[in-house]
Amino acid sequence: NKDPPRMAQFTAINGKKIPKGQQCTLQGGTPMTPAIARSGIPAGTAFIIGEFNDRDFAPLSTKGGHGTISWPVKGASANLGAIAENATKGAGGAQVMKAARATGQFASKGYLAPCSGGRGNRYFIDLKAVDAQGKILDKLRVEMGRY
């Protein structure tokens, strides 16, 4: 028996370093969520949900600490549209499901880009393929890189 194909990663994210300009606006960036292309999306997937996290800052390290975005998808591959920091909607039907949990000057209505001040924090996205009833069909962790 062969395992079903898993979501594959084809993206502009290199997993090593957050590109210049993709840090939060408080630290001089003009950020949007990174370009993410997916293939191997399971049949029946209605949405890809992305939870953005900072592995090295405990309050924002799990369950979308930097925001949770939903993208509607059809078919086995998709380009997930970008959404700007602090926006609630973006390209390709992207929309915020849960705002970043940051507070004070770091508070955001949606996605909060990497904002550790260049201390080397590690950022990642947990992507989930979800059917119309909310059942998770597949998941994948994508390392965004350090900032």
Side-chain angles (χ1 to χ4, degrees), residues 29-55:
T30 53
M32 305 217 24
T33 56
I36 304 170
R38 309 266 28 105
S39 67
I41 295 172
T45 300
F47 298 93
I48 299 289
I49 296 173
E51 297 175 339
F52 293 80
N53 300 289
D54 176 347
R55 181 174 283 114

Side-chain angles (χ1 to χ4, degrees), residues 1-137:
N1 288 345
K2 282 191 160 191
D3 289 332
R6 299 293 306 246
M7 282 194 294
Q9 174 178 317
F10 299 98
T11 170
I13 303 167
N14 69 20
K16 295 179 180 13
K17 185 176 181 182
I18 300 297
K20 185 175 180 152
Q22 288 301 303
Q23 72 276 14
C24 66
T25 54
L26 285 172
Q27 295 170 355
T30 53
M32 305 217 24
T33 56
I36 304 170
R38 309 266 28 105
S39 67
I41 295 172
T45 300
F47 298 93
I48 299 289
I49 296 173
E51 297 175 339
F52 293 80
N53 300 289
D54 176 347
R55 181 174 283 114
D56 299 302
F57 184 62
L60 305 180
S61 66
T62 62
K63 299 180 182 173
H66 275 254
T68 300
I69 312 290
S70 172
W71 294 270
V73 296
K74 290 182 182 176
S77 63
N79 290 315
L80 307 181
I83 188 168
E85 181 181 73
N86 208 30
T88 58
K89 294 183 179 183
Q95 59 184 22
V96 171
M97 292 179 67
K98 289 192 292 186
R101 294 192 303 268
T103 59
Q105 67 179 345
F106 297 98
S108 173
K109 293 183 286 188
Y111 169 67
L112 173 65
C115 212
S116 62
R119 283 180 250 152
N121 287 28
R122 297 166 294 166
Y123 294 86
F124 66 96
I125 315 164
D126 284 331
L127 292 172
K128 299 172 184 174
V130 179
D131 70 12
Q133 290 73 41
K135 179 182 175 191
I136 297 172
L137 305 174

